[in-house]
Amino acid sequence: MLLGKTKTVQRRITTIVIATIGVTLVAVALARLGALVTLWDWPPLPSSGFGVLCGVVGGAIVFFEMAIVLRKRWRRWRLGRTRLWMRLHIWMGLVCLPIILIHAGFGFGGPLATVTLVLFLLVTFSGVWGLIMQQWLPQKILADIPGETIASQIDRLGEYHADEARRIVTGLTTVPPEAEAVDPIIGGPLAVELEAFRDDVLLPYLQRGSHSRSPLTAPAEAERRFARLREAVPPEARNDLDRLQELANLRRRWDAQARLYFWLHNWLLVHLPLSVAMTALMVLHAVRALKYW
């Protein structure tokens, strides 16, 4: 989710960092001001009236934050606009940070309270990290990866390009049956070398990308290999060599796109499970605290 269409990526990230720190400092300052006018003690105890109030408010915000999961699951109910939910999710999450810190008295309690607070901090910072990634990576993908494709289709397109590479090399090293009197464009040892390059180096890379461990993964090595082949083949075959190199370069860009998409989306694999675990422990912590309050 982008924070303002007219702002640069650097300004949006700066805004996120300043907002995170600023909201925390303002909330703590207000709580400190309340202590100065003797509304409550400082630092507040988790079991004090003010501490319990902060715990209840923080817990309510956590439940609201988790409600976005249900909202995504039942989108057909149309429970408000997605952009509004995300804005509320972000800002309420930032507000919740100082409230929970005040509730905890800026320290750790018993084992359950400690684990719950640590998980809460991890959830908050993973959320901020994910928000930062959403400001930076989409623009980087657009700027650095021309020919961006659907990430889930990369391997399928790689197979399609591998078939094209097979046809190109076969057309250079073999003669169609209907043209028996014509020699192939490339023959002899060079044809054997080109076919070996296709089968052992190029096709695995087009099909599996960086997972193939092909030397074509490295741009400099790929350039060196194609340059050597281009010098060895006849002039009429160089356009075909250029196309083979173009296919390899395209696969390399798609691999870069897949890596960026991993960082763009997979932070949720950390954020969401930690959120569920933290919420469960928070409920357990509240139940146990009520027994002794």
Side-chain angles (χ1 to χ4, degrees), residues 71-261:
R71 196 269 174 195
K72 289 182 178 180
R73 185 176 181 85
W74 291 307
R75 293 181 181 178
R76 63 181 182 273
W77 289 6
R78 297 181 180 179
L79 301 174
R81 298 178 60 185
T82 300
R83 181 173 293 273
L84 176 61
W85 273 85
M86 287 304 303
R87 288 189 181 278
L88 289 174
H89 185 82
I90 292 168
W91 285 107
M92 295 299 286
L94 295 182
V95 170
C96 192
L97 175 60
I99 291 176
I100 294 299
L101 291 177
I102 294 170
H103 166 69
F106 303 97
F108 298 97
L112 178 59
T114 297
V115 173
T116 304
L117 180 57
V118 169
L119 286 178
F120 172 79
L121 294 176
L122 291 175
V123 167
T124 301
F125 292 124
S126 65
V128 172
W129 172 259
L131 186 59
I132 290 174
M133 290 297 99
Q134 292 176 55
Q135 311 311 306
W136 171 47
L137 291 181
Q139 188 160 326
K140 182 175 178 61
I141 291 172
L142 290 175
D144 296 353
I145 305 177
E148 178 190 359
T149 187
I150 300 174
S152 61
Q153 299 296 315
I154 288 177
D155 287 338
R156 181 175 297 180
L157 289 172
E159 288 285 353
Y160 177 79
H161 285 168
D163 289 338
E164 182 182 352
R166 289 189 189 95
R167 292 193 299 270
I168 290 173
V169 175
T170 299
L172 293 174
T173 59
T174 61
V175 177
E178 63 273 13
E180 296 180 358
V182 179
D183 292 330
I185 297 175
I186 299 175
L190 182 56
V192 174
E193 179 184 352
L194 181 59
E195 290 175 343
F197 171 79
R198 175 196 64 187
D199 297 336
D200 299 337
V201 179
L202 180 59
L203 293 185
Y205 183 60
L206 294 179
Q207 292 167 329
R208 301 191 300 277
S210 58
H211 297 293
S212 67
R213 298 185 178 180
S214 169
L216 299 182
T217 304
E221 178 64 16
E223 180 62 34
R224 186 187 69 80
R225 293 198 175 216
F226 278 107
R228 192 177 68 81
L229 286 172
R230 193 177 292 106
E231 292 175 358
V233 302
E236 58 266 31
R238 288 173 184 168
N239 286 338
D240 290 322
L241 260 294
D242 290 342
R243 177 57 181 168
L244 294 178
Q245 185 172 8
E246 182 182 347
L247 294 178
N249 292 341
L250 188 58
R251 178 69 207 216
R252 190 177 304 108
R253 291 199 296 269
W254 288 346
D255 282 348
Q257 174 190 334
R259 289 192 295 271
L260 293 176
Y261 267 73

Side-chain angles (χ1 to χ4, degrees), residues 42-83:
W42 191 264
L45 295 175
S47 58
S48 66
F50 182 60
V52 171
L53 177 61
C54 289
V56 171
V57 173
I61 293 176
V62 168
F63 283 124
F64 172 80
E65 296 287 272
M66 294 301 295
I68 198 171
V69 178
L70 301 178
R71 196 269 174 195
K72 289 182 178 180
R73 185 176 181 85
W74 291 307
R75 293 181 181 178
R76 63 181 182 273
W77 289 6
R78 297 181 180 179
L79 301 174
R81 298 178 60 185
T82 300
R83 181 173 293 273

